Amino acid sequence: CDPTLTMNLINGPQGELWDMDENGMPHATDAFWTYRETGKHTLATGEEYMSFVARQPLAEGMIHPEYGVTLSMYGWPDVVDRTNESKLTSAWAEFYGYKYPMDMLKAEDKLAPRPLSISSFIPPLTDVDLDLMRTSINDMLVAASWKMVFAKDEASFDALWKSAVSDAKNLGADQVQSWIFEQIKEAKVIAAAYEE
């Protein structure tokens, strides 16, 4: 699927609500800001621009490989800066010394990048016995967790926790856990081929 075509699908045709600047980077046009205020924009073709909440062939937050910005213009720096202008964001930036929280997290090395979702590469559980174990464990843990939420004191909570752990092990939690850990290990190998 072509990122540039998807960008046009999401934001409308180039030269309308967005265009390229002198550095060859996409930016919002004045027409976009008028559209943001009025909710209306007539395209050069005479058609009315309509923004539909619909699934796109590529995610709106995907980074365009050539421009380094999201496919949706709502993630572009000029749009983010202008839409986030407020006394609160200014006060936050002044207090912390960063423009945005993400800038602070990056600078202080407090981001934990999420790798490609390995869950896409984990096969469904086809072993009937393991599936029954997992269902039984889940049902038991849901009931036990609610009892823990409403435990009258720390001692009651600890007792309920120990009982839940013991019950889960008796129902086969170790076997289910071993299966999923093995699947995760294999999925990481498969997913690595798709990561940079």
Side-chain angles (χ1 to χ4, degrees):
C1 205
D2 187 283
T4 302
L5 292 176
T6 305
M7 198 164 82
N8 278 273
L9 180 64
I10 295 169
N11 306 307
Q14 182 180 346
E16 296 277 352
L17 300 178
W18 69 279
D19 212 340
M20 294 295 192
D21 65 17
E22 62 278 358
N23 299 317
M25 292 298 292
H27 68 93
T29 62
D30 290 340
F32 170 74
W33 298 108
T34 303
Y35 168 72
R36 286 261 304 165
E37 289 175 20
T38 64
K40 295 183 178 184
H41 176 72
T42 303
L43 298 168
T45 61
E47 299 168 293
E48 191 66 27
Y49 173 78
M50 308 262 321
S51 179
F52 292 99
V53 179
R55 305 277 301 168
Q56 307 297 343
L58 296 172
E60 293 187 4
M62 178 183 160
I63 303 298
H64 193 290
E66 184 179 346
Y67 308 125
V69 295
T70 58
L71 297 182
S72 168
M73 63 192 307
Y74 284 93
W76 297 354
D78 61 322
V79 175
V80 170
D81 287 349
R82 190 160 164 183
T83 55
N84 282 300
E85 287 176 358
S86 71
K87 289 180 181 178
L88 177 62
T89 56
S90 296
W92 186 93
E94 186 178 332
F95 182 82
Y96 286 103
Y98 294 95
K99 190 170 186 178
Y100 296 115
M102 185 61 76
D103 298 333
M104 183 176 78
L105 293 172
K106 286 177 181 175
E108 296 181 5
D109 197 26
K110 291 185 177 176
L111 278 180
R114 183 176 179 218
L116 181 67
S117 177
I118 59 170
S119 61
S120 302
F121 301 101
I122 295 176
L125 183 52
T126 55
D127 184 311
V128 175
D129 292 334
L130 275 178
D131 196 34
L132 286 172
M133 284 181 207
R134 183 181 64 172
T135 302
S136 299
I137 294 163
N138 181 66
D139 292 346
M140 181 277 299
L141 287 176
V142 167
S145 66
W146 278 110
K147 290 177 186 174
M148 285 183 258
V149 166
F150 294 104
K152 62 183 178 187
D153 54 33
E154 187 103 16
S156 300
F157 177 88
D158 290 341
L160 288 165
W161 170 256
K162 286 179 183 172
S163 176
V165 170
S166 174
D167 291 347
K169 287 185 178 291
N170 290 337
L171 289 169
D174 290 336
Q175 286 173 267
V176 174
Q177 197 171 37
S178 293
W179 178 84
I180 193 64
F181 284 163
E182 187 59 36
Q183 300 310 310
I184 289 171
K185 189 166 71 173
E186 291 176 19
K188 282 180 179 177
V189 172
I190 297 168
Y194 299 96
E195 293 180 327
E196 294 180 333

